[in-house]
Amino acid sequence: MAILGLPEEEYFSYGHRACAGCGAALAVRLITKAAGRNSIIVEPTGCIEVVSTPYPETAWKLPWVHGAFENAASIASGVTSALKHLGKEDVNVIVIAGDGATYDIGFGHLSGAFERGHNFTYICYDNEAYMNTGIQRSGATPYAASTTTTPSGKESIGKQEWKKDLVHILAAHGSRYVATASIGYQIDAYKKIKRAIETKGPTFVNLLATCPTGWRTDISKSIEIAKLAVDTGVFPLYEIVDGRHIVNRPKSIEELKPVEEYLRMQGRYRHLFRPERNEEAINFIQQRVKENLRSLLEHVEKGL
Ligand SMILES: Cc1ncc(C[n+]2csc(CCOP(=O)(O)OP(=O)(O)O)c2C)c(N)n1
Ligand SMILES: [Mg+2]
């Protein structure tokens, strides 16, 4: 099915083995539409690699390199250096990686590549856990989400730590363009990916991608949930361009929908509502979400 307002060309073919309702598969379609034919994709191990390339088949209509779980940014560094040597610097080099690969195991490689200033775009399809290996928590998993390594129960609320703020960490590396995006807002995501690719040097987009299997959500609600993540402020959309913040959505604290609307739709948060409602935890999440948006908006006000 075409995505309204976006190029019709598809570089990620149907026939791949992603689950019904997979947000990451839609993320890849958006990324490759924005990238176009003149691109090389680097992919670490993770769901997208597994579902798109069961030997001897491939869903990719672009040159595609698979490495290990941890070293995608280093491979991309090598590819950019080789292209430079060949005088082919107009080719887009794009990493498409899961959050486990990005926030955790590949973080050293990512930091190194950003510090060295290679000309490539790194896009994390963030489904907020290690989904391919059975829903283990990652640095991107949000507070209170139940995963197989942070199971909720009498003694535990689920994950006890807040999501790592990787976008600001990468901005602090001096990247000229970092942004958040969601598969719920596809035109916004497409434009950001394009801008990231067109900006020289290392750039980053953290693209939220619903995972019905890991989040325990209805497969028909993937887009709705990815929109609600934004509209509740749990996952605000913003950019940092040459060190300055732009907040795209939500634009004010007043327009935030209650976080409960988002949490309630997902099995990974079911323990916050059943057998009884955990008012304290829901309030805590609500307050932190507000504080986070307030801080982003203050950055914009102060021109930071
Ligand atoms: C060094 C190493 N450790 C662990 C693994 C096993 N492994 C493969 S994919 C994966 C999880 C990937 O998680 P993420 O990057 O979030 O992608 P997703 O599966 O969620 O798409 C793990 C733990 C591996 N391949 N290599
Ligand atoms: Mg993941």
Side-chain angles (χ1 to χ4, degrees), residues 187-247:
I187 305 287
D188 175 84
Y190 174 85
K191 284 185 184 160
K192 284 172 174 169
I193 294 158
K194 241 186 153 35
R195 184 155 186 186
I197 292 169
E198 282 162 8
T199 304
K200 279 263 172 245
T203 54
F204 179 74
V205 179
N206 197 52
L207 178 50
L208 186 72
T210 327
C211 171
T213 310
W215 297 13
R216 289 183 273 139
T217 51
D218 186 325
I219 56 169
S220 68
K221 299 265 181 347
S222 289
I223 304 285
E224 192 182 323
I225 290 166
K227 273 200 168 96
L228 266 178
V230 175
D231 298 344
T232 55
V234 169
F235 193 91
L237 297 183
Y238 64 95
E239 300 160 282
I240 307 175
V241 184
D242 290 322
R244 282 175 206 268
H245 287 69
I246 300 168
V247 175

Side-chain angles (χ1 to χ4, degrees), residues 164-174 178 204 238-240 245 292 295-296 299:
K164 189 196 279 189
D165 187 358
L166 187 63
V167 177
H168 283 95
I169 294 170
L170 290 173
H173 282 67
V178 297
F204 179 74
Y238 64 95
E239 300 160 282
I240 307 175
H245 287 69
N292 183 46
S295 159
L296 288 171
H299 277 80

Side-chain angles (χ1 to χ4, degrees), residues 41-102:
I41 309 295
V42 179
E43 183 88 44
T45 301
C47 279
I48 285 298
E49 171 256 327
V50 170
V51 302
S52 68
T53 57
Y55 181 82
E57 297 164 15
T58 180
W60 294 90
K61 297 183 184 174
L62 292 173
W64 181 89
V65 191
H66 173 231
F69 183 25
E70 61 276 15
N71 64 351
S74 296
I75 295 173
S77 305
V79 174
T80 57
S81 301
L83 288 169
K84 198 170 178 183
H85 183 71
L86 294 169
K88 292 185 176 174
E89 287 183 71
D90 60 335
V91 178
N92 308 319
V93 178
I94 301 165
V95 175
I96 304 178
D99 52 289
T102 306

Side-chain angles (χ1 to χ4, degrees), residues 170-181:
L170 290 173
H173 282 67
S175 169
R176 294 192 53 214
Y177 188 81
V178 297
T180 62

